[in-house]
Structure formats: structure tokens, C-alpha cells
Amino acid sequence: MPRLLYINEKFCHDATIVLDSGEACWISVGKKGVLVRSHKHSFWGGLLGSLFGPKLYQERDVYRALSVAQALAATFRPVPQIRCRDVILKAFCTAVWHSSSPARVKDVLNDPALLDG
């Protein structure tokens, strides 16, 4: 079962979730879009993963990111552990939570069918 390491909505809007595979995903939502990276779940992986980890998803258009978030919210059932006020962060965290590996996260978030609805 995935594990939520943290959600930060005070200074910036980001979260880290450890997947079933043992790798972690860092989700960041800001005024310039959404960025999701994966990294090894360790001290150095967590420290450097948000800077140098492979990008699983990046969207610089906030309106497009909102459209993807709405599609994700309609696709995945809510998770009680994820209590965010930011609807975009909550939708992306929920989609990551329901994925078992970084490869699956990348496939789900970059699926063009999300924007077809």
C-alpha cells in the first residue's frame, strides 16, 4: 500500500508519496504549472530527487493542468489519507496513490484520453 510522506500547503504546494515499488514521487503545483518527479526513497534520494529525479509529468499551462486534474478527479476514487485544500494537488496525489510504480504514474498522467472528455 502506498504511503504519504508529507503534504505541504503553507509555503508551496507539494507532496511526496512512496509507491508500492518503494520509489517515491514528488508532486509540485505552482503558479507555473505542475511537476511530478520520481526518486529513490532515501535521505539523499529525497533531498536531491525533487531537483534531479526523472520527470514523470510536467505541464506549464495552468489551465491545461486544471483540465487534467479534473479528469483525474473523475477517474480515481478519493483517498482519505490525502487531505488537501488545493484541488489540483489533491487530484494529482490521488492519481499517484493509485499507481504502483513511476512508469505507471507517467503513463496515467500523460494519457491523452484525459483531455478528450
Side-chain angles (χ1 to χ4, degrees):
M1 177 175 218
R3 212 168 26 117
L4 180 67
L5 281 184
Y6 76 89
I7 292 179
N8 176 12
E9 290 186 288
K10 284 194 184 242
F11 303 108
C12 57
H13 291 213
D14 67 330
T16 299
I17 297 174
V18 179
L19 304 174
D20 290 337
S21 66
E23 293 180 271
C25 281
W26 175 72
I27 303 113
S28 175
V29 176
K31 293 177 183 174
K32 295 188 177 187
V34 176
L35 177 64
V36 179
R37 290 184 183 261
S38 70
H39 59 83
K40 299 289 182 202
H41 178 57
S42 66
F43 175 75
W44 290 110
L47 189 62
L48 300 173
S50 61
L51 297 173
F52 301 113
K55 289 180 188 175
L56 303 178
Y57 177 84
Q58 182 172 20
E59 181 56 63
R60 292 190 174 144
D61 180 357
V62 178
Y63 297 107
R64 188 171 168 99
L66 179 59
S67 296
V68 170
Q70 289 171 333
L72 291 171
T75 303
F76 295 102
R77 61 181 167 32
V79 176
Q81 292 90 332
I82 299 173
R83 293 183 285 268
C84 303
R85 290 182 305 261
D86 185 318
V87 294
I88 297 175
L89 181 61
K90 186 173 189 168
F92 277 87
C93 286
T94 302
V96 169
W97 181 277
H98 287 288
S99 302
S100 57
S101 69
R104 180 71 181 138
V105 170
K106 187 173 185 174
D107 290 344
V108 166
L109 297 182
N110 293 291
D111 184 3
L114 287 174
L115 295 174
D116 288 344

